[in-house]
């Protein structure tokens, strides 16, 4: 069983604040790291996929970085807005046969 | 474009009753298909995945089973539900070997309550 951990489990931030959270994953047999956003009453939606050490991806105010050597990825949200409220999931894809393991998620609540 | 459907959206079933959840995908061929469950306060747990018709891999021992009778149809079943089967069930698809990474696309989910 692969250990994919996310921290914090939940957080509340004020509208306009910037925030970040962490995904930790095994540093061996790495293939790709995915980030998903899961809004209440909706399905998880893919945000980013990163495959190379040092990768950085950006979509609007949200960005992510990847360190495969030490086994972590950060997700950053700049100037949080209430619509950013969601659970953010990371998923570690191991080599071999594209086996994906999801973390337990970070639940973000942005307070207006 | 590809779409994924799941039904029913919600279900309340008594303990010991059977279960059948259905998932269909449109707009793609030979997808990988997945069943996940999110129990209350927990993360996404992979239950089954399938890389082709009739090919099912089970990730955890349980009283659930899955079948893939057609290329784009994935069914989750149980003969006798347990209280612990309550949760939110998500079906997902990916392009499998046709893609370089396994980005998954999720259906709307089924909220199952076993009483």
């Amino acid at each position: 069983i692969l250990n994919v951990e996310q921290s914090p489990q939940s957080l509340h931030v004020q509208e306009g604040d910037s925030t970040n959270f962490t995904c930790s994953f095994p540093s061996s047999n790495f293939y790709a790291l995915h980030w998903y956003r899961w809004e209440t009453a909706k399905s998880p939606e893919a945000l980013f996929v990163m495959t190379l050490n040092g990768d950085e991806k950006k979509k609007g105010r949200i960005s992510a970085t990847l360190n495969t050597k030490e086994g972590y990825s950060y997700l950053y949200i700049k100037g949080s807005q209430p619509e950013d409220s969601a659970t953010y999931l990371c998923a570690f894809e191991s080599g071999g046969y594209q086996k994906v393991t999801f973390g337990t998620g970070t639940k973000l609540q942005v307070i207006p | 474009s590809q779409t994924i459907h799941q039904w029913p959206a919600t279900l309340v079933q008594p303990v010991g009753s059977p279960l059948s959840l259905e998932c269909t995908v449109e707009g793609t061929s030979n997808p990988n298909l997945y069943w996940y469950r999110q129990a209350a306060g927990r993360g996404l747990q992979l239950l089954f995945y399938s890389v082709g018709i009739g090919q099912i891999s089970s990730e955890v021992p349980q009283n659930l089973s899955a079948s893939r009778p057609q290329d784009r149809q994935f069914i989750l079943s149980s003969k006798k539900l347990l209280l612990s089967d309550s949760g939110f069930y998500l079906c997902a698809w990916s392009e499998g070997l046709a893609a370089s990474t396994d980005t998954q696309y999720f259906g709307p989910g089924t909220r199952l309550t076993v009483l």
Side-chain angles (χ1 to χ4, degrees):
Chain A
I1 297 177
L2 297 175
N3 203 20
V4 182
E5 297 182 348
Q6 291 188 246
S7 61
Q9 191 173 11
S10 66
L11 74 162
H12 295 77
V13 300
Q14 291 291 136
E15 182 176 353
D17 286 351
S18 295
T19 187
N20 65 85
F21 23 93
T22 307
C23 172
S24 301
F25 52 85
S27 54
S28 61
N29 203 24
F30 175 88
Y31 189 81
L33 193 285
H34 303 256
W35 281 100
Y36 290 82
R37 176 168 58 202
W38 192 359
E39 296 178 67
T40 302
K42 294 187 178 180
S43 308
E45 290 184 340
L47 280 173
F48 305 115
V49 56
M50 295 177 286
T51 57
L52 297 175
N53 184 44
D55 261 355
E56 291 189 30
K57 293 287 179 82
K58 187 175 181 181
K59 185 181 290 186
R61 294 177 292 96
I62 303 177
S63 60
T65 61
L66 178 67
N67 183 324
T68 60
K69 295 186 188 305
E70 296 181 38
Y72 64 85
S73 174
Y74 293 136
L75 189 80
Y76 300 91
I77 302 179
K78 185 177 178 182
S80 302
Q81 298 297 307
E83 58 265 30
D84 296 328
S85 298
T87 295
Y88 291 83
L89 297 169
C90 70
F92 170 75
E93 185 175 343
S94 58
Y97 191 76
Q98 295 179 318
K99 178 86 181 286
V100 172
T101 303
F102 280 84
T104 52
T106 293
K107 187 172 184 178
L108 172 67
Q109 184 75 35
V110 181
I111 304 164
Chain B
S1 64
Q2 300 89 358
T3 54
I4 178 169
H5 306 277
Q6 266 185 262
W7 64 93
T10 59
L11 193 58
V12 180
Q13 293 283 97
V15 169
S17 63
L19 172 74
S20 181
L21 303 181
E22 190 162 343
C23 171
T24 59
V25 181
E26 295 176 0
T28 187
S29 296
N30 197 31
N32 284 359
L33 295 172
Y34 306 84
W35 278 111
Y36 289 90
R37 175 173 62 200
Q38 185 195 34
R42 304 187 69 178
L44 276 180
Q45 180 186 35
L46 178 63
L47 301 174
F48 300 95
Y49 70 94
S50 171
V51 300
I53 295 174
Q55 299 179 63
I56 310 291
S57 296
S58 173
E59 287 296 301
V60 293
Q62 60 216 325
N63 70 321
L64 300 171
S65 62
S67 62
R68 184 170 177 173
Q70 299 179 47
D71 181 45
R72 289 168 289 176
Q73 183 185 28
F74 206 23
I75 297 171
L76 183 70
S77 304
S78 175
K79 292 182 180 177
K80 287 187 178 182
L81 284 169
L82 306 173
L83 285 174
S84 57
D85 291 324
S86 293
F88 189 61
Y89 288 80
L90 281 165
C91 180
W93 72 274
S94 69
E95 293 181 27
L97 294 177
S100 57
T101 60
D102 198 40
T103 296
Q104 296 179 20
Y105 304 92
F106 289 84
T110 296
R111 175 74 59 193
L112 172 65
T113 304
V114 182
L115 301 175

